[in-house]
Amino acid sequence: MQAAPKPVEAANDGVGSSFEAAAFLAEPGAPVPVCELLERISSRLRTGLDAGLEPMAIDARHFRIAILLRDAGPQSQVWLCDRTRVDRASMVKLVDRLQEEGWVTREPCLADRRQNAVTLSVRGRKSLKAAETIARHNEDHVLGALAPLQRAALQDLLRRHLRQEADL
């Protein structure tokens, strides 16, 4: 069994110094914008995931595309752009990288030969399992201050909000 990768600590997460974080978190009950809290956690999750995935020659953007392809099956790059909110030129580069690493294949779409269907390969499925382990270890590290029930409640609240937003 492979040892769990060590999380990488970010000296600066791009959203302020640890001094600034300590200043606004020092007072319990002090009003802090939710967007600020989510941004800081998101930045730490992303930085740690990118560092953990670096030996696999991918980053969090590639990881997200692989998850979408695993869950939805072969899809066009246009579909991937719509789901990830990534522009077409950037998506081409992301899929190129996944193809270079053997994670995906491209074949003409049966419905529209002008488009390519991107498919997660057998190697991609195996690599994705390893990447998901890295992601879980990263989440454990970043969210380690929360008890398991608190983490589950956080995930439930965020999912509920995103589902409600999707219904609007």
Side-chain angles (χ1 to χ4, degrees), residues 29-148:
V32 178
V34 172
C35 63
E36 177 69 15
L37 298 171
L38 290 172
E39 175 62 33
R40 287 177 182 274
I41 294 297
S42 176
S43 178
R44 289 184 179 109
L45 285 165
R46 175 82 171 236
T47 300
L49 183 57
D50 284 346
L53 295 173
E54 188 175 10
M56 301 178 86
I58 66 163
D59 63 26
R61 299 168 303 162
H62 302 99
F63 178 65
R64 183 171 180 210
I65 292 167
I67 289 171
L68 285 169
L69 292 172
R70 179 203 57 206
D71 294 346
Q75 296 295 331
S76 71
Q77 288 179 191
V78 172
W79 184 90
L80 290 169
C81 289
D82 291 343
R83 295 307 182 284
T84 60
R85 296 180 181 167
V86 170
D87 65 84
R88 290 181 184 194
S90 297
M91 183 58 69
V92 168
K93 292 176 184 175
L94 291 167
V95 174
D96 283 349
R97 178 55 170 240
L98 287 169
Q99 190 172 18
E100 289 167 11
E101 296 300 322
W103 283 58
V104 300
T105 60
R106 283 183 174 123
E107 297 174 13
C109 284
L110 297 177
D112 183 352
R113 296 252 182 227
R114 295 171 295 172
Q115 294 186 10
N116 285 320
V118 182
T119 305
L120 193 62
S121 67
V122 172
R123 179 178 177 184
R125 289 184 184 283
K126 289 178 184 176
S127 297
L128 181 57
K129 287 181 182 181
E132 287 177 315
T133 299
I134 291 167
R136 276 192 302 277
H137 287 295
N138 181 53
E139 284 181 14
D140 289 344
H141 174 71
V142 174
L143 302 176
L146 299 177

